[in-house]
Amino acid sequence: MDNSGPKKTCRESIEDFFTSAKFLIYMGHALSTWGDRMWGFAVAVFLVELYGNSLLLSAVYGLVVAGSVLLLGAIIGDWVDRNPRLKVAQTSLLVQNSCVIVCGVLLMVVFQFKEQLVQLYNGWLLTTCYILVITIANIANLASTAMSITIQRDWVVVVAGQDSSKLADMNATVRIIDQLTNILAPMLVGQIMAFGSHFIGCGFIAGWNLCSMCLEYALLWKVYQKTPALASKAGQKEQQQELKQLSPVGELENGQSPEESSQPLMNESSVVTKPDTPKKSSCCYQVSEPLRTLKAGWVAYYNQNIFFAGMSLAFLYMTVLGFDCITTGYAYTQGLNGSVLSLLMGASAVSGICGTVAFTWIRKKCGLIRTGFISGVAQLSCLMMCVVSVFVPGSPFDLSVSPFQDLYTHLNPEKTLPEASGSLTGILSGNITTDPPAPELPPLQSYMSVSLLFAGVIAARVGLWSFDLTVTQLIQENVIESERGVISGVQNSMNYLLDLLHFIMVILAPNPEAFGLLVIISVSFVAMGHLMYFRFAFKNLGSRLFLCCSPEQKVETEDSPSLPTTV
């Protein structure tokens, strides 16, 4: 007698998939990421347009965003850990989208009435609008960070359950969605602004976020209903058990029930040590609580067994070898036009998708930790082409030109001004004696250098995204449930810190002749990052790191001792 039950038809299987919690998470993430990518692209364009084609507002916005996540990452993660999952997700969603909507409406007002705003209060009203836009947009980014932590680092783990393969597949799918939206969303909003106007672009983004917020809210509720495990958190369970054990003491001493006594208590130490209660209820103690949370988060991150794996990922952000404004600007100086760059960005996205697919395949064959090691070797090998590009024909690399020349020129403009009748008055009046103009740069003789550079950058994306997924899953599986938020927050802070350092490096050496030096420094940081990962992997696997094994052997020899999972 067959006890397997009736087999599902193809239609039933398709319906089950499209109504599953996994697919609903994909849909919600796609909507959220699409809105984020549109807003991230558009706000930079809007700020440049508003400030007279100057990059000042964009630079201020970038600095504020990076600094906020760097300082508040651990605090945001701690807030995610302390509160129920549904409350965190819904609050983050509402704050993020509401802020973007408000920014969109405010920018529409500024674009429509900019001339009138300039004349009011000597332009201070317009300046106030700029400050409000940057401030509200920064709040939206912080809410987006909280949303990313709670969905990608927590909800995905719970939905996947104890199945490591399912978790890897979900992580890879989420990353593919990121890659696709990173290309398609800016293209859409760019076309709207090109054929319409910035005013229409602001209105479209505000309307999109309003509709998306309602739909995402419904999707989150559906996922929460379909996954009962999301209703409970390990940290909250442990706190309740501790309070139950201490309840007789509490009832005898102050006559309070465990629920009543748990309200002002935030951790175990505050429950056990009653003499500190007056101090901890003081105003100074409460004001300094964010600083203690920040310190505790970084200490907890340092004490994790995946500390070196997380640091290795952060070090990969200290690089100019990516498709950002820096590499794009260098490409323009080397004779590449916008059409070629768009094709290269498309190739980079395809390479990144290949990396996510390769991650799932290699993990099944060799295990999770070995996948990171293999991905690191692949990335470093491809980046060697970038190092070679510094020394081949066509490279502007020149050590005889000081890398700090442009910075010195801006800090000491009088050293480069022409002599003008011996006074500044002559310069301002136009009576200046100019030197012969400097000869123009000769046309690029060879594209070998820039071709090797971008070939290495594009090829390295396969290893980069596979390595990123590896470290992400290591954090998901190693960090206990009650600390996932704070550890992920600190990881985001580390990523932003190294990203800021790479921008500072470019500011100090901005001329094209020094770009080769930046390439060498970038590859060195990537190498140091992978050395940290090698230390982590060798500590966990020893000599078995170099022996590929089957998935069944991997579970026994690798995952069990090194990946303690608490769900």
Side-chain angles (χ1 to χ4, degrees), residues 503-559:
F503 278 111
I504 293 174
M505 178 177 67
V506 176
I507 291 173
L508 294 177
N511 51 318
E513 291 82 5
F515 191 80
L517 182 61
L518 302 184
V519 169
I520 296 173
I521 294 175
S522 298
V523 175
S524 300
F525 269 86
V526 173
M528 284 189 288
H530 288 304
L531 283 176
M532 292 181 184
Y533 185 84
F534 175 77
R535 174 178 176 179
F536 161 79
F538 193 80
K539 180 180 178 181
N540 282 270
L541 297 181
S543 59
R544 291 180 291 120
L545 174 64
F546 307 102
L547 301 175
C548 191
C549 61
S550 65
E552 291 79 14
Q553 293 172 328
K554 171 189 72 69
V555 174
E556 295 178 1
T557 60
E558 176 182 333
D559 286 355

Side-chain angles (χ1 to χ4, degrees), residues 241-258:
Q241 291 175 357
E242 292 172 357
L243 291 171
K244 287 181 180 179
Q245 294 175 359
L246 295 171
S247 60
V249 178
E251 291 172 353
L252 288 175
E253 292 185 357
N254 51 29
Q256 289 182 334
S257 65

Side-chain angles (χ1 to χ4, degrees), residues 161-239:
Q162 299 282 354
D163 192 341
S164 182
S165 296
K166 184 178 180 180
L167 178 60
D169 293 337
M170 292 186 68
N171 285 332
T173 304
V174 166
R175 198 52 48 88
I176 290 175
I177 293 172
D178 290 341
Q179 292 285 334
L180 293 176
T181 54
N182 198 31
I183 297 177
L184 300 178
M187 289 175 58
L188 174 63
V189 72
Q191 295 301 315
I192 291 174
M193 291 189 295
F195 291 98
S197 64
H198 291 90
F199 180 85
I200 296 176
C202 293
F204 176 79
I205 293 175
W208 173 275
N209 278 270
L210 179 60
C211 298
S212 176
M213 177 175 62
C214 300
L215 188 54
E216 287 179 63
Y217 196 94
L219 290 172
L220 285 174
W221 177 246
K222 283 290 185 182
V223 173
Y224 190 79
Q225 285 182 321
K226 289 179 175 292
T227 313
L230 290 171
S232 60
K233 271 191 174 182
Q236 295 172 352
K237 290 180 181 178
E238 293 170 1
Q239 187 179 20

Side-chain angles (χ1 to χ4, degrees), residues 17 42 70 88-89 211 221 226 284 346 378 389 418 496 498 516 538 540 557:
F17 174 75
L70 177 60
V88 170
C211 298
W221 177 246
K226 289 179 175 292
C284 294
S389 72
Y496 269 95
L498 272 297
F538 193 80
N540 282 270
T557 60

Side-chain angles (χ1 to χ4, degrees), residues 9 100 154 168 352 520:
T9 63
V100 173
D154 188 28
I520 296 173

Side-chain angles (χ1 to χ4, degrees), residues 273-529:
T273 57
K274 288 184 66 59
D276 291 336
T277 301
K279 177 183 176 181
K280 294 185 178 182
S281 62
S282 64
C283 180
C284 294
Y285 185 87
Q286 294 177 356
V287 169
S288 62
E289 184 176 358
L291 296 178
R292 295 194 308 276
T293 301
L294 182 65
K295 178 182 177 181
W298 284 88
V299 171
Y301 179 78
Y302 176 78
N303 291 329
Q304 294 293 319
N305 61 340
I306 46 87
F307 169 72
F308 282 104
M311 286 293 295
S312 66
L313 178 62
F315 265 62
L316 302 191
Y317 282 77
M318 178 66 177
T319 178
V320 296
L321 301 175
F323 280 89
D324 55 6
C325 56
I326 295 170
T327 309
T328 302
Y330 174 76
Y332 273 112
T333 66
Q334 299 305 295
L336 300 185
N337 56 32
S339 176
V340 174
L341 281 174
S342 63
L343 293 176
L344 292 176
M345 291 183 68
S348 173
V350 173
S351 178
I353 293 174
C354 292
T356 61
V357 175
F359 162 75
T360 57
W361 184 80
I362 298 174
R363 193 203 65 83
K364 291 178 182 178
K365 296 292 182 180
C366 303
L368 184 60
I369 294 180
R370 292 186 186 89
T371 300
F373 177 71
I374 295 170
S375 302
V377 172
Q379 184 189 9
L380 269 178
S381 301
C382 294
L383 290 180
M384 288 300 106
M385 287 190 288
C386 300
V387 177
V388 173
S389 72
V390 176
F391 305 100
V392 299
S395 172
F397 183 57
D398 187 0
L399 289 176
S400 63
V401 178
S402 171
F404 309 105
Q405 178 176 339
D406 283 4
L407 179 66
Y408 179 78
T409 300
H410 285 86
L411 294 178
N412 302 274
E414 69 277 359
K415 299 295 183 180
T416 58
L417 289 174
E419 296 295 329
S421 304
S423 67
L424 182 61
T425 306
I427 297 176
L428 297 176
S429 63
N431 300 323
I432 57 176
T433 304
T434 59
D435 294 331
E440 295 183 359
L441 293 175
L444 196 64
Q445 300 298 323
S446 173
Y447 287 95
M448 181 182 297
S449 174
V450 69
S451 299
L452 273 176
L453 175 69
F454 280 96
V457 171
I458 293 173
R461 309 296 278 187
V462 177
L464 171 64
W465 287 111
S466 179
F467 183 80
D468 177 83
L469 284 168
T470 300
V471 176
T472 297
Q473 187 158 342
L474 283 171
I475 294 175
Q476 290 171 332
E477 294 185 347
N478 275 273
V479 178
I480 61 175
E481 185 174 325
S482 59
E483 292 183 350
R484 281 184 195 146
V486 67
I487 299 302
S488 298
V490 175
Q491 182 65 53
N492 286 342
S493 298
M494 285 298 306
N495 296 344
Y496 269 95
L497 174 61
L498 272 297
D499 193 46
L500 276 176
L501 291 180
H502 113 266
F503 278 111
I504 293 174
M505 178 177 67
V506 176
I507 291 173
L508 294 177
N511 51 318
E513 291 82 5
F515 191 80
L517 182 61
L518 302 184
V519 169
I520 296 173
I521 294 175
S522 298
V523 175
S524 300
F525 269 86
V526 173
M528 284 189 288

